[in-house]
Amino acid sequence: MQRRRILQGAAVTAAAALLPASVRAVAAPTAETDYAGAQWFPASASNYTPASGPSAHAVDLVVIHVAQQTFSQTVGIFQNPAKQVSAHYVVRSGDGFVAQCVRERDIAWHAGSWDHNTRSIGIEHEGWIDQPAYFTHTMYERSARLTADICDRYDLPKDRAHIIGHHEVPGSDHTDPGAHWDWGRYIRLVNLV
């Protein structure tokens, strides 16, 4: 048991060393994540609502976002207590790196609707809606793996009724993920995992 912990700690340390300095500065690699492919980048406790119990709310949606920011800026916004916003995950464009910022049992403030926040997992993607070059194959693939894992764990169908864009949240004034987001490709990838 002790040897396993030492090896796990060494693996986390080695993985963290491969990250750019700007990312290492905000990461907390020792925290446990809900998704095995993610690394912990905690949002400020001022930017989400802690769950009142282990299964305080039932998840029935995954909400897809495009941050209109870089990966580092997005994580920084979630860590700034004055911003009053967060998402559960952030996916980096170039290499598909996944950061978890809010535990799935907690309520991230991402959808602009309390009802949707309480019943969804929010995934932000680095980039801008009018710059499709940010939507790399690697980003789509890694994000699809994350979404498939969430759907499997919460027994959600892997379809557009349960995987929605931020713009589809009733009352939303957002347009993300935007016209360049390839929903057909994304849902295919989610179902291939």
Side-chain angles (χ1 to χ4, degrees):
M1 182 65 89
Q2 180 69 8
R3 185 178 194 294
R4 183 183 308 158
R5 284 193 183 135
I6 291 169
L7 291 173
Q8 287 172 335
V12 167
T13 302
L18 297 174
L19 297 172
S22 61
V23 172
R24 283 194 310 265
V26 295
T30 58
E32 184 178 327
T33 59
D34 295 301
Y35 173 62
Q39 188 168 347
W40 185 239
F41 285 65
S44 167
S46 298
N47 293 340
Y48 65 91
T49 303
S52 57
S55 57
H57 59 281
V59 171
D60 66 1
L61 292 171
V62 176
V63 180
I64 302 299
H65 303 267
V66 172
Q68 300 293 99
Q69 300 287 336
T70 67
F71 174 88
S72 295
Q73 290 168 330
T74 304
V75 170
I77 288 168
F78 294 168
Q79 293 178 336
N80 181 339
K83 294 297 185 177
Q84 304 290 288
V85 67
S86 63
H88 295 91
Y89 296 97
V90 182
V91 181
R92 193 163 49 206
S93 172
D95 60 2
F97 178 86
V98 177
Q100 183 170 358
C101 301
V102 175
R103 295 299 304 265
E104 290 178 10
R105 70 175 174 258
D106 295 327
I107 301 167
W109 301 343
H110 64 96
S113 156
W114 181 250
D115 175 61
H116 280 71
N117 284 343
T118 61
R119 54 192 265 249
S120 65
I121 303 297
I123 304 174
E124 284 282 1
H125 296 83
E126 176 181 32
W128 285 261
I129 62 170
D130 60 348
Q131 297 180 34
Y134 275 94
F135 304 155
T136 65
H137 175 71
T138 302
M139 186 198 69
Y140 273 120
E141 185 179 69
R142 300 284 167 79
S143 176
R145 284 184 199 165
L146 168 61
T147 296
D149 185 76
I150 292 166
C151 289
D152 289 343
R153 286 186 284 114
Y154 291 94
D155 197 28
L156 302 179
K158 296 174 183 173
D159 61 23
R160 286 285 285 121
H162 296 86
I163 304 167
I164 66 171
H166 190 183
H167 70 284
E168 295 171 292
V169 173
S172 175
D173 62 354
H174 287 251
T175 59
D176 61 303
H180 297 292
W181 184 262
D182 189 341
W183 280 109
R185 176 184 185 186
Y186 190 69
I187 296 298
R188 273 192 310 276
L189 287 168
V190 169
N191 281 281
L192 284 174
V193 176

